[in-house]
Amino acid sequence: MARIAIASDHAALGLKAELATWLQDQGHEVADLGPNEPASVDYPDYGYKLAQAVSGKDADFGVALCGSGIGISIAVNRVAACRCALVSEPLSASLAREHNDANVIAMGARMIGSEMAKACLTAFLATPFGGDRHQRRVDKLGTPPA
């Protein structure tokens, strides 16, 4: 089982709570990085907090949630050690792991329901990185050209 950090903004508070409980029920160790109140918050703050947990090896994987999934995924991807993929269905979640070695999955609470989010997480966590030709490409993600 995996160590998973999960964070959101206020728009995804309910989905975050539901997924955190579901992941724990699946046997994963879950660190809920907030927020825990419905007051409006800024998604970059929680995206960076999640990225620090993953890049610092406090978590194997991260789950980033906001209204659309877009803003928080951008924040997470500002940290070089993170490869965050915004997904809305299981095939993209699986390919993000297999081809891109994504270590963070982002989803939009206003875009998909909890059952689809669970299906995406299931695919993401069950898929290993393919390595081989994909490793060369993933290496380039961490070192952009000058």
Side-chain angles (χ1 to χ4, degrees):
M1 293 293 113
R3 296 174 304 141
I4 301 171
I6 188 168
S8 72
D9 69 356
H10 56 281
L13 191 64
L15 182 60
K16 178 181 65 82
E18 183 176 348
L19 293 178
T21 298
W22 179 79
L23 286 165
Q24 288 171 333
D25 291 346
Q26 301 294 310
H28 299 288
E29 179 183 322
V30 178
D32 184 338
L33 304 180
N36 298 309
E37 301 292 328
S40 180
V41 297
D42 297 331
Y43 60 80
D45 297 337
Y46 291 91
Y48 294 145
K49 192 174 186 180
L50 178 66
Q52 289 172 344
V54 173
S55 66
K57 306 287 186 201
D58 294 324
D60 303 314
F61 297 105
V63 179
L65 307 165
C66 68
S68 67
I70 297 168
I72 201 164
S73 68
I74 292 170
V76 171
N77 278 321
R78 303 277 302 173
V79 175
C82 293
R83 290 169 307 283
C84 180
L86 173 59
V87 305
S88 59
E89 40 70 39
L91 179 58
S92 294
S94 179
L95 290 172
R97 285 285 307 129
E98 182 182 356
H99 291 192
N100 310 115
D101 198 19
N103 51 12
V104 181
I105 184 173
M107 295 177 282
R110 294 178 177 151
M111 305 295 155
I112 63 173
S114 63
E115 293 308 310
M116 183 58 75
K118 291 173 187 175
C120 290
L121 271 169
T122 298
F124 183 81
L125 294 171
T127 305
F129 176 49
D132 195 34
R133 72 184 190 278
H134 303 296
Q135 184 63 59
R136 169 178 87 250
R137 297 167 184 153
V138 169
D139 290 343
K140 290 181 179 184
L141 292 174
T143 54

